[in-house]
Amino acid sequence: RLRPLCSPALAEQIGLRTLSDLSRATLIHSRNAVTWRDYLHRLGMDALRPANEFWLDRSSMAIDAAVAGRGVILEGEILTEDEVRDGRLIAPLDDSSTSLETTSYYLVRPKGFRSGVQDAAFVKWLRSTLAGNLLKRS
Protein backbone atom coordinates (compact mmCIF):
# COMPACT_ATOMS: atom_id res chain seq x y z
CA ARG A 1 0.00 0.00 0.00
CA LEU A 2 1.43 3.34 -1.08
CA ARG A 3 0.53 6.60 0.62
CA PRO A 4 1.95 10.07 1.19
CA LEU A 5 4.18 10.28 4.26
CA CYS A 6 6.05 13.13 5.92
CA SER A 7 7.45 14.23 9.24
CA PRO A 8 4.90 15.31 11.86
CA ALA A 9 6.52 18.76 12.00
CA LEU A 10 6.16 19.29 8.25
CA ALA A 11 2.52 18.19 8.28
CA GLU A 12 1.82 20.74 10.99
CA GLN A 13 3.90 23.49 9.37
CA ILE A 14 2.11 23.39 6.00
CA GLY A 15 -1.27 22.27 7.32
CA LEU A 16 -1.29 19.01 5.38
CA ARG A 17 -4.76 17.50 5.78
CA THR A 18 -6.20 16.98 2.29
CA LEU A 19 -4.86 16.04 -1.13
CA SER A 20 -5.12 19.62 -2.35
CA ASP A 21 -2.82 20.68 0.52
CA LEU A 22 -0.02 18.89 -1.34
CA SER A 23 0.18 22.02 -3.50
CA ARG A 24 1.99 23.68 -0.55
CA ALA A 25 4.45 20.80 -0.18
CA THR A 26 7.70 19.67 -1.71
CA LEU A 27 7.11 16.28 -3.31
CA ILE A 28 10.06 13.95 -3.01
CA HIS A 29 10.33 11.52 -5.94
CA SER A 30 12.18 8.22 -5.88
CA ARG A 31 12.19 5.19 -8.14
CA ASN A 32 8.86 3.57 -7.37
CA ALA A 33 6.46 1.57 -9.48
CA VAL A 34 3.89 4.35 -8.97
CA THR A 35 5.10 7.92 -9.45
CA TRP A 36 3.59 11.03 -7.89
CA ARG A 37 2.13 11.82 -11.32
CA ASP A 38 0.50 8.36 -11.50
CA TYR A 39 -0.77 8.68 -7.94
CA LEU A 40 -2.33 12.10 -8.49
CA HIS A 41 -3.86 10.95 -11.78
CA ARG A 42 -5.46 7.89 -10.17
CA LEU A 43 -6.99 10.12 -7.49
CA GLY A 44 -8.28 12.68 -10.00
CA MET A 45 -5.83 15.39 -8.97
CA ASP A 46 -4.00 15.86 -12.31
CA ALA A 47 -4.13 19.65 -12.01
CA LEU A 48 -2.31 19.76 -8.67
CA ARG A 49 1.07 21.48 -8.84
CA PRO A 50 3.32 21.18 -5.80
CA ALA A 51 5.31 24.10 -4.40
CA ASN A 52 8.56 22.24 -5.16
CA GLU A 53 9.81 18.85 -6.25
CA PHE A 54 13.04 16.96 -6.08
CA TRP A 55 14.21 13.54 -7.21
CA LEU A 56 16.34 10.96 -5.45
CA ASP A 57 17.32 7.66 -6.99
CA ARG A 58 16.76 5.48 -3.91
CA SER A 59 13.77 5.03 -1.65
CA SER A 60 16.05 4.97 1.40
CA MET A 61 17.35 8.46 0.53
CA ALA A 62 13.81 9.74 -0.01
CA ILE A 63 12.70 8.29 3.33
CA ASP A 64 15.62 9.97 5.10
CA ALA A 65 14.78 13.31 3.44
CA ALA A 66 11.14 13.02 4.53
CA VAL A 67 12.14 12.18 8.11
CA ALA A 68 14.34 15.31 8.05
CA GLY A 69 11.29 17.38 7.05
CA ARG A 70 12.40 18.11 3.48
CA GLY A 71 9.09 17.11 1.88
CA VAL A 72 6.45 14.46 1.33
CA ILE A 73 7.23 11.02 -0.05
CA LEU A 74 4.98 8.50 -1.75
CA GLU A 75 6.16 5.24 -0.31
CA GLY A 76 5.00 1.80 0.72
CA GLU A 77 4.32 0.48 4.19
CA ILE A 78 7.04 -2.13 4.10
CA LEU A 79 9.96 0.26 3.56
CA THR A 80 8.66 2.85 6.05
CA GLU A 81 7.47 0.50 8.78
CA ASP A 82 10.15 1.53 11.32
CA GLU A 83 9.81 5.27 10.70
CA VAL A 84 6.02 5.16 11.02
CA ARG A 85 6.13 2.95 14.11
CA ASP A 86 8.63 5.33 15.75
CA GLY A 87 6.58 8.41 14.81
CA ARG A 88 9.29 9.89 12.59
CA LEU A 89 6.90 9.70 9.64
CA ILE A 90 3.15 10.05 9.62
CA ALA A 91 0.42 9.60 7.03
CA PRO A 92 -1.26 13.00 7.31
CA LEU A 93 -3.93 12.03 4.79
CA ASP A 94 -4.47 8.64 6.39
CA ASP A 95 -7.68 7.31 4.97
CA SER A 96 -8.43 4.65 2.43
CA SER A 97 -9.15 7.16 -0.34
CA THR A 98 -5.56 8.46 -0.35
CA SER A 99 -3.83 5.08 -0.31
CA LEU A 100 -3.12 2.93 -3.34
CA GLU A 101 -2.87 -0.81 -3.36
CA THR A 102 -0.19 -1.92 -5.77
CA THR A 103 0.33 -5.29 -7.35
CA SER A 104 3.06 -6.34 -9.74
CA TYR A 105 2.90 -9.08 -12.31
CA TYR A 106 5.86 -10.83 -13.88
CA LEU A 107 6.03 -13.21 -16.80
CA VAL A 108 9.01 -15.50 -16.32
CA ARG A 109 10.46 -17.60 -19.10
CA PRO A 110 13.36 -20.02 -19.05
CA LYS A 111 16.67 -18.83 -20.46
CA GLY A 112 16.80 -19.52 -24.18
CA PHE A 113 13.00 -19.69 -24.48
CA ARG A 114 11.81 -19.27 -28.05
CA SER A 115 8.56 -17.39 -28.38
CA GLY A 116 5.98 -18.83 -30.75
CA VAL A 117 2.54 -17.85 -31.97
CA GLN A 118 0.80 -19.33 -28.93
CA ASP A 119 3.15 -17.57 -26.54
CA ALA A 120 2.66 -14.24 -28.29
CA ALA A 121 -1.12 -14.67 -28.15
CA PHE A 122 -0.95 -15.44 -24.43
CA VAL A 123 1.23 -12.38 -23.71
CA LYS A 124 -1.13 -10.17 -25.72
CA TRP A 125 -4.15 -11.53 -23.83
CA LEU A 126 -2.42 -11.16 -20.46
CA ARG A 127 -1.43 -7.54 -21.11
CA SER A 128 -4.90 -6.55 -22.29
CA THR A 129 -6.53 -8.29 -19.32
CA LEU A 130 -4.23 -6.61 -16.81
CA ALA A 131 -4.60 -3.21 -18.49
CA GLY A 132 -8.39 -3.57 -18.38
CA ASN A 133 -8.30 -4.42 -14.68
CA LEU A 134 -6.09 -1.42 -13.91
CA LEU A 135 -8.44 0.90 -15.78
CA LYS A 136 -11.42 -0.44 -13.83
CA ARG A 137 -9.68 0.45 -10.54
CA SER A 138 -8.60 3.93 -11.66
Side-chain angles (χ1 to χ4, degrees):
R1 186 171 76 146
L2 290 174
R3 59 189 175 168
L5 298 164
C6 66
S7 71
L10 180 67
E12 182 65 30
Q13 177 187 351
I14 64 174
L16 189 53
R17 291 177 189 86
T18 67
L19 278 172
S20 60
D21 294 337
L22 288 171
S23 65
R24 296 190 299 272
T26 296
L27 300 186
I28 302 171
H29 299 263
S30 62
R31 292 187 185 201
N32 287 328
V34 177
T35 65
W36 271 110
R37 183 178 178 185
D38 297 336
Y39 172 81
L40 293 169
H41 174 74
R42 288 183 187 185
L43 296 178
M45 299 292 291
D46 292 299
L48 187 133
R49 297 294 174 254
N52 295 296
E53 298 179 84
F54 72 91
W55 285 257
L56 298 165
D57 66 340
R58 299 198 184 276
S59 287
S60 60
M61 294 168 66
I63 293 167
D64 289 345
V67 167
R70 304 284 189 244
V72 182
I73 57 170
L74 181 63
E75 193 54 73
E77 292 177 332
I78 294 172
L79 291 180
T80 59
E81 181 179 13
D82 293 340
E83 291 81 4
V84 171
R85 183 189 59 240
D86 297 344
R88 293 178 286 151
L89 288 178
I90 62 167
L93 316 175
D94 199 16
D95 65 54
S96 61
S97 68
T98 60
S99 297
L100 288 182
E101 297 291 332
T102 59
T103 304
S104 298
Y105 298 94
Y106 298 90
L107 180 60
V108 180
R109 299 176 181 148
K111 187 175 183 175
F113 178 81
R114 293 181 187 241
S115 180
V117 174
Q118 291 174 330
D119 177 61
F122 173 73
V123 170
K124 182 178 178 180
W125 169 84
L126 184 60
R127 286 184 174 154
S128 67
T129 300
L130 293 175
N133 286 338
L134 289 176
L135 290 174
K136 288 177 191 174
R137 287 194 236 168
S138 298

